[in-house]
Amino acid sequence: QEETVNLAVKQALKEHIQQINQEDTLLNRKEAASFLKISLVTLSKYTKKGRITSKTIGGRVLYKKSDLIHSLNNSRLDDKS
């Protein structure tokens, strides 16, 4: 029974680590817009207004997936101001 619990804990930890790694993925503009189901123009507007944070690496604008999820969860995208 202890072995079963250990296996269950190991599996849960493995799944949690995979989820964290997926959330920290960097997405380019096209991937971010697709993930959010918005246009590239809307993505640019939200970025300029500070509703979504981006990072510039090597001249490329990238978005951290966890930041996009955070923005969605806080409903900042729906705010019209």
Side-chain angles (χ1 to χ4, degrees):
Q1 201 173 34
E2 185 178 327
E3 187 176 320
T4 304
V5 171
N6 285 339
L7 288 173
V9 169
K10 285 181 183 179
Q11 181 62 30
L13 284 172
K14 182 179 177 182
E15 290 173 6
H16 181 69
I17 289 169
Q18 287 175 340
Q19 181 182 2
I20 290 170
N21 288 339
Q22 288 175 351
E23 289 176 358
D24 285 341
T25 301
L26 291 175
L27 305 176
N28 64 30
R29 292 180 69 249
K30 186 175 180 180
E31 293 167 334
S34 176
F35 176 74
L36 294 172
K37 295 183 170 106
I38 59 176
S39 70
L40 288 171
V41 173
T42 302
L43 179 66
S44 294
K45 286 180 185 178
Y46 288 164
T47 302
K48 286 178 184 175
K49 289 183 177 184
R51 294 181 182 168
I52 298 175
T53 58
S54 65
K55 301 177 184 329
T56 304
I57 301 174
R60 296 181 63 200
V61 178
L62 299 172
Y63 298 86
K64 196 171 171 184
K65 192 171 185 180
S66 59
D67 290 344
L68 298 177
I69 292 168
H70 179 75
S71 294
L72 285 173
N73 288 338
N74 288 331
S75 300
R76 289 179 12 195
L77 301 182
D78 293 331
D79 185 64
K80 301 294 183 198
S81 57

